[in-house]
Amino acid sequence: MEPSRQTRHSADPTGDAEPDDRVIAVALRRSLLVAAGLALVGGGIWWLMHPVPPQPTLSESPLALPAGRAPPTAIVPRMPFTDITTSAGIDFVHENGAAGEKLLPETMGGGCAFFDFDGDGDADIVLVNGRRWDWDDRPAAGPSTTALYRNDGRGRFDDVTAGSGLDVPLYGTGVACGDIDGDGRTDLFIACVGPDRLFRNLGDGQFEDVTERAGVAGPAAAWSTSCGFFDSDGDLDLDLFVCTYVEWSRDTDRSQDFRLVGGGRAYGRPQNFGGAFPRLYRNDGDGRFTDVSAAAGIQVTNPATGAPMAKSLGVAFEDLDADGMLDVVVANDTVQNFLFRNRRDGSFEEVGALAGMAFDIEGNARGAMGIDVARFRNDADVGVVIGNFANEMTALYVSRGDQMQFRDDAVSNGLGPPTRLELTFGVVFADVDLDGRLDVLAANGHLEEDINRVQKTQFYEQPPRLYWNCGAEQATEFVPVAAENVGADFSRPLVGRSLAVADIDGDGDLDCLITASGGRPRLLRNDQVLGHHWLRVKLVGDGANPEAIGAVVGLRRASPNDTVGTQVRRVSPTRGYQSQSELPVTFGLGEDPDTGTVTVRWPDGTVSEHVDLAPDRLHVIRR
């Protein structure tokens, strides 16, 4: 039997025989040395056959910065406005009910409108008021009501509210103007926190509350905002669209402990309130309306919860796909904007996301407020301007022609960057300097009186802004007009909300009215003296729509000196935020008095042409 390894170690104590492990270890070391030598020899041979190329010498190159956008070569003209609020006889003060509870409706302000309530051909004014809350027991001098001012034709106004029928207390927000019964007199719808009101114009400065008979009060707890009359179904009478903001109550508001950073109670965020459906009322032709909101397809729900999605603050009407029917664009606060495409059968399809108008360029919803729509480039392009919350740029969605495909061009055309800091409510397209190009007017103001304590770039009172349109051929289309060019009266800060335009004094240029939340409005007379010619057109229709709301007026000039293009204006007072502008349309002619050919497409689709209209005049064109 072979002895074990241990036995063998013990049997050879003298060490004459080398143990097995040492033999193996020595053999292994010798093998590794041989392998290493062979590797060194092989590596040397490979290196000789494959020399490493020399490394290039590095040198520092100058940094190539992107070229800045070239400024426009056009010189911004002086377009001063003068504050004539007091001298013109406007002594209105808005009551928002604020008494320390910080309730959200107190932040939104009241609407305004230019409309000819007495049929004498000039622009009168209505200012919508709020009121103190029912539970407020503070002593008051008297009730706060909507105010009605009659224009004397020269831009001075008389307060004719008392006894008009409009002198009733309500918490008003927006206003819509339109002849609902075809009697030739403009009626008023006033949106409210609570039941809405419809006032029929009886003539001689008298209005009758016909809300109950007309069926347009809406839900008792609703909070309505912007509103407007338009023909939704092609039957040639005026239907009514009403935006609703959020599902709100005092108890819901107070139960949420909204606070400024390091401060006391603050106004709440719309994200903390549920949405609410807008409403569409069909005009039945007998002084009554039917709520067709559900059947018309305007009640959009959140796909995840089934709850109402809309938080609507602005609305405008335009035929965006050139099918002869008016579509509806709705500006929503903190949720996507809506574009309701008219299906031509009394119903609508919501296509905002598909059309590129629902979100910003990064796919986010913004705090959208006021809205206006126009062909601001005097070509086939359609622009939709929307005022947004602080630290969000004003949007300018542009569609190339009537394809209903929009892209936000606010950055590329210069409107976006200078609007980023401001909280913009009212926005309106208007040719302020009468050069034939539509500029943009904006009313700004924050919600919180103490916002500057927590955000140093924000202020409660903010100046209005004018963005001058210097033409699509310029590197930047819209240029902010400095205070020295627009005037100190215009640029003085206020808590701006609604904004409307009209020629109040008959001199051809557009004057401006801006409301202030909890304060006095500002009536601004346009005092530009650039010597530009102009043409104004007022339409008189027939049948159920004598104001021809929805008609389109175009001005085409054949002069080789005309570089402006074909100007197009839609007769639609519903523009801005909770506001209505005048019905006559204004064309700036610049230095060339040629009025070319005026084409009217009436609401029923018929077309009339008018030539040799004298410049610098208002022309009344009848159906």
Side-chain angles (χ1 to χ4, degrees):
M1 181 176 179
E2 181 177 3
S4 67
R5 179 175 299 174
Q6 181 61 38
T7 302
R8 290 178 61 189
H9 288 176
S10 302
D12 189 14
T14 62
D16 292 335
E18 191 174 10
D20 293 344
D21 286 350
R22 294 181 63 191
V23 172
I24 294 172
V26 170
L28 180 59
R29 286 196 295 269
R30 290 173 179 171
S31 299
L32 290 174
L33 288 172
V34 172
L38 292 173
L40 288 172
V41 173
I45 295 172
W46 185 91
W47 183 82
L48 291 173
M49 297 179 64
H50 300 82
V52 178
Q55 295 297 317
T57 302
L58 298 178
S59 61
E60 184 177 359
S61 299
L63 180 63
L65 296 174
R69 177 175 296 170
T73 57
I75 299 175
V76 179
R78 290 194 72 253
M79 298 169 279
F81 286 83
T82 301
D83 184 349
I84 61 168
T85 312
T86 301
S87 62
I90 306 295
D91 58 359
F92 176 87
V93 179
H94 179 252
E95 171 65 74
N96 62 8
E101 285 190 300
K102 295 272 188 168
L103 302 176
L104 189 56
E106 299 164 3
T107 67
M108 292 301 180
C112 64
F114 285 114
F115 78 123
D116 183 8
F117 80 89
D118 53 3
D120 63 356
D122 52 34
D124 307 305
I125 289 175
V126 65
L127 289 159
V128 178
N129 213 346
R131 64 179 177 88
R132 293 188 176 182
W133 298 109
D134 291 337
W135 51 85
D136 187 351
D137 57 3
R138 292 176 299 161
S144 301
T145 72
T146 292
L148 180 66
Y149 290 91
R150 175 185 287 125
N151 191 341
D152 68 357
R154 300 183 301 276
R156 289 189 55 83
F157 294 84
D158 297 316
D159 188 341
V160 294
T161 307
S164 67
L166 300 178
D167 49 346
V168 293
L170 44 78
Y171 202 111
T173 54
V175 58
C177 307
D179 185 352
I180 63 171
D181 49 12
D183 65 356
R185 296 186 290 266
T186 305
D187 309 299
L188 285 180
F189 176 86
I190 298 181
C192 299
V193 178
D196 302 323
R197 310 290 278 274
L198 177 62
F199 295 93
R200 181 170 177 261
N201 190 340
L202 302 177
D204 197 25
Q206 302 294 306
F207 290 82
E208 175 191 9
D209 188 337
V210 296
T211 309
E212 185 176 353
R213 182 167 65 90
V216 294
W223 175 357
S224 303
T225 56
S226 290
C227 44
F229 290 105
F230 78 120
D231 182 8
S232 69
D233 50 10
D235 64 356
L236 302 181
D237 58 18
L238 295 179
D239 309 303
L240 173 64
F241 191 98
V242 182
C243 292
T244 308
Y245 189 33
V246 295
E247 185 179 353
W248 179 86
S249 71
R250 180 194 185 196
D251 291 341
T252 301
D253 203 329
R254 290 185 59 179
S255 67
Q256 304 182 63
D257 191 21
F258 303 113
R259 292 190 175 274
L260 287 175
V261 177
R265 178 169 167 81
Y267 287 109
R269 307 182 312 153
Q271 294 95 323
N272 292 74
F273 298 88
F277 291 133
R279 301 187 300 281
L280 176 63
Y281 296 100
R282 184 189 64 217
N283 190 334
D284 295 332
D286 57 356
R288 293 177 172 83
F289 291 77
T290 299
D291 187 339
V292 295
S293 308
I298 66 167
Q299 295 184 339
V300 181
T301 59
N302 185 315
T305 65
M309 181 184 293
K311 298 180 180 181
S312 305
L313 289 175
V315 63
F317 311 113
E318 182 57 59
D319 181 6
L320 297 174
D321 54 2
D323 66 352
M325 299 291 287
L326 289 173
D327 310 298
V328 183
V329 189
V330 176
N332 283 316
D333 188 4
T334 70
V335 297
Q336 67 187 66
N337 300 318
F338 294 155
L339 171 51
F340 292 111
R341 182 178 181 274
N342 198 321
R343 287 176 165 155
R344 302 176 58 84
D345 60 0
S347 69
F348 294 82
E349 176 187 11
E350 203 292 299
V351 296
L354 291 175
M357 199 186 296
F359 306 102
D360 66 11
I361 58 175
E362 296 178 349
N364 299 315
R366 290 184 278 201
M369 312 291 182
I371 187 171
D372 198 7
V373 184
R375 298 184 184 272
F376 69 99
R377 287 176 176 153
N378 296 332
D379 58 13
D381 292 355
V382 181
V384 179
V385 62
I386 299 178
N388 290 312
F389 200 76
N391 301 312
E392 298 174 340
M393 290 184 291
T394 291
L396 182 56
Y397 297 101
V398 180
S399 176
R400 312 301 177 190
D402 301 312
Q403 301 304 309
M404 205 176 271
Q405 289 295 315
F406 289 85
R407 183 184 68 188
D408 190 350
D409 281 356
V411 172
S412 61
N413 65 24
L415 182 62
T419 65
R420 183 182 294 277
L421 289 180
E422 286 143 351
L423 200 167
T424 300
F425 277 87
V427 286
V428 167
F429 284 110
D431 185 0
V432 173
D433 60 339
L434 299 176
D435 66 349
R437 299 184 179 92
L438 289 171
D439 314 301
V440 173
L441 285 160
N444 307 306
H446 213 282
L447 310 183
E448 288 286 352
E449 293 183 40
D450 297 327
I451 189 63
N452 187 246
R453 291 172 51 191
V454 295
Q455 295 185 39
K456 295 305 179 184
T457 60
Q458 291 298 317
F459 299 89
Y460 184 49
E461 293 184 332
Q462 301 179 5
R465 299 292 187 190
L466 170 60
Y467 302 94
W468 181 58
N469 184 345
C470 57
E473 69 277 7
Q474 299 287 334
T476 303
E477 283 182 82
F478 287 96
V479 178
V481 182
E484 55 265 28
N485 278 14
V486 79
D489 285 355
F490 181 92
S491 301
R492 192 170 66 254
L494 79 167
V495 189
R497 293 296 184 260
S498 300
L499 187 154
V501 295
D503 178 11
I504 64 171
D505 49 9
D507 64 354
D509 54 28
L510 293 172
D511 310 295
C512 178
L513 176 64
I514 302 175
T515 67
S517 179
R520 298 181 181 276
R522 187 174 301 169
L523 181 60
L524 294 158
R525 186 184 63 212
N526 187 340
D527 285 338
Q528 62 83 28
V529 287
L530 299 170
H532 289 168
H533 297 282
W534 49 273
L535 177 72
R536 286 171 47 79
V537 174
K538 178 182 178 181
L539 300 183
V540 177
D542 55 10
N545 183 10
E547 295 174 323
I549 289 178
V552 177
V553 186
L555 171 65
R556 184 181 68 255
R557 299 196 287 183
S559 170
N561 298 323
D562 179 30
T563 60
V564 172
T566 300
Q567 300 183 55
V568 177
R569 307 283 187 266
R570 184 173 296 278
V571 179
S572 180
T574 305
R575 306 163 61 195
Y577 166 75
Q578 298 187 157
S579 59
Q580 307 271 287
S581 291
E582 66 171 359
L583 284 173
V585 298
T586 298
F587 297 102
L589 305 178
E591 297 177 356
D592 186 352
D594 177 28
T595 60
T597 300
V598 172
T599 302
V600 179
R601 182 175 294 276
W602 296 90
D604 65 358
T606 58
V607 177
S608 62
E609 288 193 349
H610 311 268
V611 296
D612 298 326
L613 298 179
D616 306 324
R617 286 183 54 191
L618 170 69
H619 293 266
V620 177
I621 298 179
R622 301 182 182 274
R623 176 74 169 82

